[in-house]
């Protein structure tokens, strides 16, 4: 039962700076894990301890600014990687842990929200009770599957599955209409896979073949733990693999999914019924509680055509087996008996991500509570941890960066005056959201019962899915947030045309009020610039200021833009991530454009701020750096850390962000101002003759 929004087609371009995407299963961990975590301290906005002065900043700036990080902060055994952002996450997790331990103490004085977060957390922590219950709480779900004796009954079951977070065969949810952002519509998309994305089923290199073998063994192991005899479990796992491979073959790859036009096909419900008549769509919408719909987005029509042949050709016995698998796969590990929880971790945590050890249970329970009741927990968190001064300072920074972009647009030689006017019109309509929502989500209709682990998890997902689906046909709530307040991350949403900075990311070193001003611009300034630039990257630029997918570019300017971004595609294609695995310049283009534009905007804003304050940006400071150097060092230290090799592979194959080293080196080498500040010579790696410059 996933806690995320029910559909994957949504185009929110997040910064996702510090962790690669986690599958629900990968978030799980065995309760046997020891708690290895010592208290974590935040680090300052410019941390000289991390600098490796034996490295030459002109050869490899990432190693210069972060070379000592791994020695000071080796990857903890319960993590697939570690870095600057992970320190902030660990720190935030401790704060949430304290809050939840207090809320977990049953007392009459708890507010309704405190009761919910406290009991959700306490139930998760009670491993003994969860183990003692075994698979019994899931029995009603298994009974539903066993009762499936006719494919006509499938509609009802799939609708129920979508509500509780099991995306068997496909995904269903709500989105803003790409071409009319005032409308909220229903959307169906590809789905139904167990591996991270479609190419995992199709690649033929040895590492991918090995992962598939391990996956089939994992599926078999889970089926055995559900009670199937050994031989049957092995055969069933093969059949599930065949079925998921067939789904993968009609799915779009992740690079194509970044193209809004490839995932936008408005159809009538009758047209959808023509593609997949095996599903009674009218019944499906009714059963999910969807408000009346006449048309919807069928993100990938070929998928639904392929789904029809698959449902026709697959026997009922195999469908039941696949549904049992999808159910157990989507059920959070912390609600399961220990053997299943351990097995989920063995494949998704250990084999796929290289993590030696499961996270301590309290960490998993903090994350689970944030996922289920994020704004209830966030409200308590913000009151304790997010001073109004941080909000005010961030807002000032955001305005500085927006002003820098306004000026920057005037200097672009490749853009015509006509398109410039429209770019500025879009920029001026970007909404800034900082810290937490103005209006908190109402959880009063969600029941959390102490001791009912599966029920709580399932009801929380169903509550969220009902909340999403209820938006269909309603006006858009522009105050809504897609991340919870303690989240250490940020995002741009092209349909909303807004930039969002949760309270979690507004902490040291990312926002450190005690650091030199230059360092603050290098850290949070670059992150603000990154999100703002997403509105103008290869994906965001296709949306206008109202959030509509509409072409506001002259043909020549569009061609120039593509030529400029092509430079970045080639640059990042040239970077080697691990062994023989290269960065995918096309998949990461939007993020790379945002990184490059973000740093430039932050730099311009930093210079304007220094001018305002009469600061000489070339004068050496007490820390040995000039303010310009401080700016770049702080920027580089956003991305300190490293990942285990398995995690690097996973990231390169699934994540639109470049590996951290290239988020530093790939960007500074496009800024001659960097080379000048560090006395680099033209032709050195960080000062190439062919720098790329989009924004
Ligand atoms: Zn981003």
């Amino acid at each position: 039962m996933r806690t995320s929004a029910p559909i994957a087609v949504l185009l929110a371009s997040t910064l996702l700076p510090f962790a690669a995407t986690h599958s629900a299963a990968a978030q799980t961990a065995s309760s046997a894990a020891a708690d290895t975590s010592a208290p974590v301290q935040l680090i300052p906005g410019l941390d000289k301890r991390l600098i490796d002065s034996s490295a030459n900043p002109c050869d490899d700036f990432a190693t210069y600014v972060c070379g000592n990080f791994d020695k000071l902060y080796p990857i903890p055994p319960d993590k697939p990687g570690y870095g600057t952002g992970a320190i902030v996450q660990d720190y935030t997790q401790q704060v949430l842990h304290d809050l939840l331990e207090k809320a977990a103490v049953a007392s009459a004085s708890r507010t309704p929200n405190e009761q919910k977060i406290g009991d959700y957390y306490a139930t998760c922590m009670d491993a003994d009770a969860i183990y003692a219950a075994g698979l019994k709480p899931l029995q009603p779900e298994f009974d539903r599957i066993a009762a499936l004796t006719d494919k006509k009954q499938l509609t009802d079951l799939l609708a129920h599955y979508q509500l509780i977070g099991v995306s068997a065969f496909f995904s269903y949810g709500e989105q803003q209409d790409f071409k009319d952002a005032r409308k909220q519509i229903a959307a169906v998309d590809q789905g139904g896979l167990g591996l991270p994305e479609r190419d995992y089923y199709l690649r033929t290199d040895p590492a991918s073949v090995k992962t598939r073998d391990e996956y089939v063994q994992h599926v078999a192991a889970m089926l055995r733990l559900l009670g199937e005899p050994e031989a049957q479990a092995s055969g069933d796992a093969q059949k599930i693999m065949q079925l998921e491979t067939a789904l993968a073959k009609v799915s779009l790859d992740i690079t194509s999914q970044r193209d809004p036009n490839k995932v936008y096909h408005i159809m009538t419900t009758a047209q959808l019924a023509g593609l997949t008549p095996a599903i009674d769509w009218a019944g499906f919408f009714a059963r999910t509680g969807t408000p009346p719909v006449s048309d919807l987005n069928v993100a990938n029509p070929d998928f639904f055509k392929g789904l029809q042949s698959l449902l026709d050709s697959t026997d009922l016995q195999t469908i039941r087996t696949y549904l049992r698998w999808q159910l157990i796969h989507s059920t959070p590990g912390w609600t399961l008996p220990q053997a299943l929880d351990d097995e989920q971790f063995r494949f998704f945590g250990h084999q796929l991500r290289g993590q030696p050890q499961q996270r301590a249970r309290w960490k998993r329970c903090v994350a689970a509570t944030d996922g289920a009741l994020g704004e209830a927990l966030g409200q308590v968190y913000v009151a304790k941890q997010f001073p109004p001064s941080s909000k005010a300072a961030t807002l000032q920074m955001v305005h500085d960066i927006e002003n820098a972009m306004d000026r920057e647009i005037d200097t672009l030689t490749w853009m015509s005056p006509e398109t410039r006017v429209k770019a500025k019109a879009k920029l001026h309509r970007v909404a800034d959201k900082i810290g937490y929502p103005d209006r908190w989500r109402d959880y009063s209709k969600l029941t959390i019962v102490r001791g009912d682990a599966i029920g709580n998890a399932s009801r929380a997902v169903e509550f969220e899915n009902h909340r999403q689906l209820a938006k269909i046909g309603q006006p858009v709530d522009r105050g809504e947030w897609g991340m919870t307040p303690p989240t250490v991350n940020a995002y741009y949403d092209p349909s909303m045309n807004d930039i969002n900075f949760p309270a979690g990311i507004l902490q040291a070193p990312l926002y450190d009020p005690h650091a030199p001003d230059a360092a603050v611009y290098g850290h949070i300034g670059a992150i603000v610039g990154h999100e703002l630039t997403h509105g103008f990257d290869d994906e965001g630029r296709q949306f206008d200021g109202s959030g509509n997918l509409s072409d506001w570019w002259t043909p020549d300017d569009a061609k120039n833009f593509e030529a400029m971004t092509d430079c970045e595609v080639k640059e990042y294609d040239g970077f080697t991530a691990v062994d023989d695995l290269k960065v995918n310049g096309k998949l990461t283009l939007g993020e790379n454009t945002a990184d490059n534009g973000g740093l430039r905007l932050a730099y311009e804003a930093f210079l304007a701020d220094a001018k305002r304050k009469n600061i000489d940006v070339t004068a050496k400071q007490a820390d040995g750096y000039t303010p310009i150097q401080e700016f770049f060092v702080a920027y580089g230290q956003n991305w300190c850390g490293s990942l285990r090799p398995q995690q690097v592979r996973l990231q390169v194959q699934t994540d639109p962000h470049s590996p951290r080293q290239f988020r530093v080196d790939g960007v500074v080498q496009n800024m001659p101002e960097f080379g000048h500040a560090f006395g680099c010579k033209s032709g050195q790696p960080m000062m190439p003759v062919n720098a790329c410059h989009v924004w």
Side-chain angles (χ1 to χ4, degrees):
M1 291 157 219
R2 291 173 206 279
T3 48
S4 56
I7 192 136
V9 69
L10 299 181
L11 280 167
S13 302
T14 64
L15 171 65
L16 205 75
F18 312 118
T21 42
H22 296 240
S23 81
Q27 292 275 22
T28 67
S30 102
S31 57
D35 182 356
T36 56
S37 48
V40 177
Q41 297 298 324
L42 294 174
I43 63 173
L46 195 157
D47 193 343
K48 291 196 75 172
R49 297 174 309 145
L50 307 180
I51 288 171
D52 176 0
S53 43
S54 71
N56 183 343
C58 297
D59 288 338
D60 175 358
F61 190 54
T63 299
Y64 174 77
V65 286
C66 295
N68 287 339
F69 185 92
D70 290 353
K71 276 170 253 163
L72 291 164
Y73 300 97
I75 303 176
D78 67 345
K79 286 189 163 59
Y82 207 59
T84 312
I87 294 176
V88 188
Q89 284 171 336
D90 278 351
Y91 177 81
T92 306
Q93 200 169 39
Q94 289 172 175
V95 174
L96 296 175
H97 186 209
D98 286 347
L99 293 173
L100 286 169
E101 285 287 341
K102 286 194 189 94
V105 179
S107 95
S109 64
R110 290 190 297 179
T111 65
N113 273 353
E114 284 167 348
Q115 177 272 321
K116 288 182 171 67
I117 58 175
D119 286 350
Y120 197 95
Y121 171 78
T123 302
C124 173
M125 286 301 288
D126 192 355
D128 289 344
I130 289 169
Y131 297 162
L135 283 166
K136 222 170 123 211
L138 276 175
Q139 196 53 47
E141 297 300 336
F142 292 127
D143 291 345
R144 280 174 201 265
I145 297 170
L148 195 70
T149 52
D150 185 322
K151 286 184 189 173
K152 285 202 174 71
Q153 299 165 324
L154 203 50
T155 297
D156 196 58
L157 188 58
L158 293 182
H160 167 70
Y161 262 21
Q162 292 291 336
L163 287 178
I164 62 168
V166 184
S167 293
F169 288 116
F170 64 94
S171 310
Y172 176 59
E174 165 277 340
Q175 68 169 99
Q176 269 172 281
D177 188 333
F178 284 169
K179 293 203 175 165
D180 184 354
R182 295 166 306 175
K183 277 169 68 183
Q184 303 188 100
I185 58 172
V188 286
D189 197 2
Q190 64 191 38
L193 305 181
L195 283 167
E197 69 98 28
R198 74 69 101 173
D199 281 344
Y200 273 79
Y201 294 86
L202 308 176
R203 270 189 289 260
T204 54
D205 62 282
S208 301
V209 172
K210 179 165 168 271
T211 297
R212 278 199 293 277
D213 287 346
E214 290 168 346
Y215 176 63
V216 172
Q217 285 165 26
H218 164 64
V219 175
M222 293 295 276
L223 295 176
R224 271 199 311 277
L225 290 167
L226 293 185
E228 287 193 9
E230 181 100 32
Q232 189 197 338
S234 304
D236 282 349
Q238 292 292 349
K239 284 184 195 160
I240 287 166
M241 189 62 180
Q242 280 167 19
L243 199 156
E244 290 186 0
T245 305
L247 289 173
K249 282 184 178 155
V250 287
S251 296
L252 285 172
D253 65 82
I254 43 172
T255 306
S256 300
Q257 283 184 283
R258 288 192 62 251
D259 181 345
N261 285 299
K262 287 191 179 153
V263 291
Y264 181 76
H265 302 91
I266 297 294
M267 290 187 174
T268 63
T269 49
Q271 284 171 313
L272 173 61
L275 291 175
T276 322
I279 293 167
D280 162 22
W281 289 101
F284 177 85
F285 296 131
R287 176 69 178 78
T288 48
T290 305
V293 289
S294 54
D295 48 18
L296 76 165
N297 181 22
V298 180
N300 175 4
D302 284 345
F303 178 85
F304 285 90
K305 212 189 287 173
L307 177 59
Q308 177 62 32
S309 349
L310 194 64
L311 289 173
D312 276 343
S313 62
T314 308
D315 63 85
L316 207 54
Q317 179 59 39
T318 303
I319 289 177
R320 281 194 296 261
T321 304
Y322 168 74
L323 293 175
R324 280 160 61 84
W325 155 245
Q326 281 290 318
L327 174 72
I328 200 68
H329 169 62
S330 303
T331 303
W334 63 266
T335 66
L336 291 174
Q338 186 165 7
L340 284 121
D341 185 18
D342 286 350
E343 173 56 30
Q344 261 192 4
F345 172 75
R346 196 187 59 79
F347 178 70
F348 284 100
H350 184 60
Q351 289 182 329
L352 203 59
R353 309 162 77 85
Q355 196 173 315
Q357 193 181 306
Q358 183 52 281
R359 285 183 297 169
R361 192 160 186 106
W362 72 263
K363 296 183 182 178
R364 305 171 66 197
C365 293
V366 167
T369 311
D370 181 46
L373 290 151
E375 289 198 8
L377 178 57
Q379 197 170 358
V380 187
Y381 170 80
V382 163
K384 182 174 189 304
Q385 204 68 18
F386 189 60
S389 58
S390 294
K391 187 162 181 165
T394 307
L395 194 61
Q396 177 61 49
M397 171 67 78
V398 169
H399 290 152
D400 279 1
I401 301 286
E402 285 168 347
N403 290 334
M405 184 156 213
D406 192 275
R407 295 191 303 272
E408 182 71 10
I409 288 171
D410 285 327
T411 69
L412 295 171
T413 50
W414 55 269
M415 189 180 265
S416 70
E418 199 184 333
T419 304
R420 261 182 221 170
V421 170
K422 293 189 173 155
K424 284 195 177 191
K426 173 165 184 178
L427 171 65
H428 297 156
R429 294 189 63 181
V430 171
D432 310 321
K433 283 153 68 181
I434 293 156
Y436 54 91
D438 292 337
R439 195 157 39 83
W440 293 99
R441 197 160 293 169
D442 175 9
Y443 291 99
S444 56
K445 294 212 166 66
L446 170 59
T447 307
I448 299 300
V449 180
R450 202 164 179 122
D452 183 10
I454 290 252
N456 287 345
S458 176
R459 278 190 300 274
V461 174
E462 199 165 351
F463 172 82
E464 172 60 12
N465 284 336
H466 276 308
R467 191 187 71 79
Q468 299 272 356
L469 293 175
K471 294 196 266 178
I472 293 168
Q474 298 297 312
V476 174
D477 171 11
R478 300 216 160 244
E480 188 180 0
W481 280 69
M483 283 180 183
T484 69
T487 305
V488 184
N489 210 334
Y491 70 98
Y492 170 77
D493 182 333
S495 291
M496 292 282 201
N497 193 27
D498 64 8
I499 48 178
N500 303 261
F501 306 94
I505 201 168
L506 303 173
Q507 303 182 79
L510 306 160
Y511 168 66
D512 177 5
H514 307 296
D517 287 355
V520 178
Y521 279 91
H523 272 296
I524 195 71
I527 289 169
V528 171
H530 173 107
E531 298 309 337
L532 192 60
T533 305
H534 268 314
F536 303 87
D537 69 15
D538 60 321
E539 181 182 308
R541 79 167 188 90
Q542 302 183 60
F543 293 79
D544 64 18
S546 306
N548 294 328
L549 182 60
S550 88
D551 193 357
W552 48 272
W553 295 63
T554 67
D556 276 353
D557 286 329
K559 218 167 24 181
N560 289 342
F561 177 87
E562 271 159 30
M564 304 310 263
T565 51
D566 223 37
C567 177
E568 286 180 349
V569 174
K570 289 202 185 82
E571 177 194 353
Y572 285 80
D573 269 342
F575 294 139
T576 301
V578 63
D579 302 333
D580 56 343
L581 192 64
K582 296 264 196 217
V583 174
N584 178 344
K586 263 216 138 58
L587 172 64
T588 56
L589 175 58
E591 295 301 334
N592 298 334
T593 303
D595 280 346
N596 279 275
L599 187 62
R600 176 160 295 284
L601 295 179
Y603 183 76
E604 297 299 334
F606 149 65
L607 290 186
D609 179 66
K611 203 168 162 192
R612 204 157 53 201
K613 295 173 181 157
N614 245 324
I615 292 168
D616 178 0
V617 293
T618 59
K620 204 179 242 192
Q621 306 296 299
D623 59 18
Y625 293 113
T626 68
I628 297 188
Q629 289 174 328
E630 288 175 338
F631 170 85
F632 284 112
V633 169
Y635 171 71
Q637 291 190 341
N638 273 337
W639 309 116
C640 290
S642 57
L643 304 178
R644 299 184 190 280
Q646 295 92 330
Q647 180 66 14
V648 178
R649 194 166 280 278
L650 183 79
Q651 183 182 341
V652 169
Q653 293 176 341
T654 60
D655 188 335
H657 300 82
S658 291
R660 49 189 67 228
Q661 180 195 347
F662 308 118
R663 297 192 76 169
V664 180
D665 288 352
V667 176
V668 297
Q669 62 180 262
N670 287 330
M671 279 190 73
E673 296 87 341
F674 166 82
H676 296 313
F678 283 88
C680 307
K681 292 188 192 69
S682 176
Q684 280 190 286
M686 296 298 106
M687 206 172 175
V689 283
N690 299 321
C692 306
H693 181 179
V694 182
W695 292 104

